[in-house]
Amino acid sequence: MILSVGMSSSLWLSRAGADASHLSESDPAAVAVGYREDAAKVDKAKYSNYSAGQTCANCSLFSGKSTDPWGGCTLFGDKLVAGRGWCASYTNM
């Protein structure tokens, strides 16, 4: 019984840790650059530099494959950004 609880706790902690590595839209660094997990939800009036088709996955700051759902970004340290996301620091590859 104790082993079962321990295994369940370990699984929960590993999932919680994985989720914690994703950049939240409410993170102060994300807010500063208008990060959105879904580029379709970018406030186009506020971010006029946004163009359709721009996503984190095709940004030069993204450190993953263009097909990765999540990847690193040089702006956010160890936090992962959504491949389908966008922020005002977007730069072409």
Side-chain angles (χ1 to χ4, degrees):
M1 178 90 169
I2 293 173
L3 179 60
S4 175
V5 171
M7 289 172 56
S8 295
S9 295
S10 294
L11 180 59
W12 180 83
L13 287 173
S14 66
R15 286 185 181 164
D19 290 343
S21 65
H22 291 179
L23 180 67
S24 167
E25 290 182 358
S26 62
D27 182 292
V31 170
V33 293
Y35 171 74
R36 292 289 174 256
E37 284 186 12
D38 183 351
K41 296 180 181 177
V42 170
D43 180 348
K44 294 158 188 75
K46 186 173 182 180
Y47 297 101
S48 59
N49 60 321
Y50 170 79
S51 294
Q54 293 178 343
T55 64
C56 291
N58 61 35
C59 175
S60 66
L61 303 175
F62 189 71
S63 60
K65 291 183 266 178
S66 62
T67 56
D68 289 344
W70 295 90
C73 176
T74 59
L75 296 178
F76 302 112
D78 62 348
K79 299 284 185 176
L80 300 177
V81 296
R84 69 181 191 281
W86 184 89
C87 85
S89 293
Y90 176 88
T91 56
N92 290 323
M93 292 186 131

